[in-house]
C-alpha cells in the first residue's frame, strides 16, 4: 500500500505545482524589455481603441438573396432608416443590429422623440398574408428596440403589406427592396 501512495502523492504534487505556475503577462515583462535600464513603471490609463471601420462592401456581391443582410444597407447610425428582411421572414437581420442600437440610444436619450415603424412586404402572397407579415416585421423591430430599453410610448407600428412598394419591378431584387421596415420619426428627428 505504501508503494502506491508515494507515486500517487508525487503526481498530485506535480499537478499542484503546474497549476500554480503562470506565464508572464505583457505588463510583467514590460519593465524588462528595456534591456536592463532602470525604469519606473507608472500606472497607465487604458487606451481607447478606434472602432472598426465599416467593412469594405465592394468585394461582397449585392444579390437579392443577401440584400437584407448586406453591409451596404446599414451604417451603424441613425442615418439608416430602412431595415430589410429575407423572403417570408420577420427576423431582424444581424447586419441591422448596430443601426437599431443607435436608434435605441437616440430614443432613450430623447424621451420626446417618437418613431413609426412602417412594415412592408413584396407583392407575392395574398394581401391579407402580406399585411400580417409586414405587421410581424414592424413588431420584430419594435421588440428589438424595446429590449434595448426604448419606451413603448415612443414606438408605433403600422403594417402596409404590399401597398407601398419601394421598387415597382417584378424581379427578385425589386422584391428584396420591398421587404422592409421603415423607421419614420414623427417627433424629435435625429
Amino acid at each position: 500500500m505504501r508503494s502506491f501512495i508515494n507515486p500517487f502523492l508525487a503526481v498530485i504534487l506535480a499537478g499542484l505545482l503546474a497549476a500554480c505556475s503562470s506565464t508572464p503577462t505583457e505588463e510583467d515583462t514590460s519593465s524588462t524589455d528595456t534591456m536592463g535600464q532602470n525604469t519606473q513603471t507608472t500606472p497607465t490609463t487604458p487606451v481607447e481603441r478606434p472602432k472598426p471601420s465599416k467593412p469594405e462592401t465592394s468585394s461582397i456581391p449585392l444579390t437579392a438573396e443577401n440584400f437584407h443582410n448586406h453591409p451596404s444597407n446599414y451604417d451603424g447610425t441613425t442615418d439608416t432608416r430602412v431595415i430589410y428582411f429575407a423572403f417570408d421572414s420577420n427576423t431582424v437581420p444581424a447586419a441591422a443590429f448596430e443601426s437599431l442600437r443607435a436608434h435605441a440610444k437616440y430614443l432613450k436619450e430623447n424621451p420626446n422623440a417618437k418613431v413609426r415603424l412602417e412594415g412592408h412586404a413584396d407583392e407575392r402572397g395574398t394581401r391579407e398574408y402580406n399585411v400580417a407579415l409586414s405587421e410581424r416585421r414592424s413588431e420584430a423591430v419594435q421588440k428589438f428596440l424595446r429590449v434595448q430599453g426604448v419606451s413603448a410610448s415612443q414606438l408605433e407600428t403600422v403594417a402596409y403589406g404590399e401597398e407601398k412598394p419601394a421598387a415597382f419591378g417584378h424581379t427578385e431584387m425589386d422584391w428584396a427592396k420591398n421587404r422592409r421596415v421603415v423607421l419614420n420619426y414623427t417627433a424629435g428627428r435625429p
Side-chain angles (χ1 to χ4, degrees):
M1 182 78 156
R2 188 165 221 256
S3 63
F4 174 72
I5 293 178
N6 285 340
F8 184 68
L9 189 57
V11 169
I12 290 176
L13 286 175
L16 286 173
L17 288 174
C20 291
S21 69
S22 65
T23 57
T25 64
E26 189 176 319
E27 288 179 357
D28 296 336
T29 59
S30 63
S31 62
T32 60
D33 288 345
T34 56
M35 296 186 156
Q37 295 175 358
N38 188 8
T39 61
Q40 289 184 332
T41 58
T42 57
T44 59
T45 58
V47 176
E48 195 170 311
R49 295 183 181 170
K51 287 188 174 186
S53 61
K54 188 177 176 186
E56 178 58 41
T57 58
S58 61
S59 63
I60 303 170
L62 181 62
T63 64
E65 188 174 308
N66 74 354
F67 189 81
H68 67 283
N69 235 350
H70 199 271
S72 66
N73 290 326
Y74 311 103
D75 64 2
T77 70
T78 57
D79 291 340
T80 297
R81 300 287 176 95
V82 180
I83 308 301
Y84 295 99
F85 288 80
F87 173 70
D88 201 27
S89 172
N90 63 314
T91 302
V92 176
F97 287 0
E98 285 307 309
S99 294
L100 287 173
R101 284 186 188 112
H103 283 282
K105 181 177 185 243
Y106 176 81
L107 289 164
K108 288 189 300 187
E109 291 172 355
N110 299 279
N112 293 330
K114 295 183 187 284
V115 67
R116 182 173 47 238
L117 307 169
E118 302 171 347
H120 300 271
D122 63 35
E123 65 187 18
R124 296 172 291 178
T126 65
R127 288 184 189 271
E128 295 80 15
Y129 181 81
N130 287 335
V131 167
L133 177 59
S134 63
E135 182 176 19
R136 288 193 307 270
R137 288 175 175 161
S138 61
E139 288 172 351
V141 173
Q142 178 186 40
K143 182 177 180 182
F144 186 96
L145 294 171
R146 293 280 293 131
V147 166
Q148 301 299 314
V150 177
S151 170
S153 65
Q154 292 178 276
L155 303 171
E156 171 190 2
T157 61
V158 178
Y160 290 114
E162 62 191 73
E163 299 304 316
K164 294 187 174 189
F168 290 95
H170 305 287
T171 66
E172 290 291 333
M173 187 58 86
D174 294 325
W175 292 329
K177 291 176 183 176
N178 290 334
R179 298 187 299 258
R180 69 197 192 282
V181 168
V182 178
L183 285 85
N184 187 359
Y185 280 81
T186 58
R189 297 170 194 250

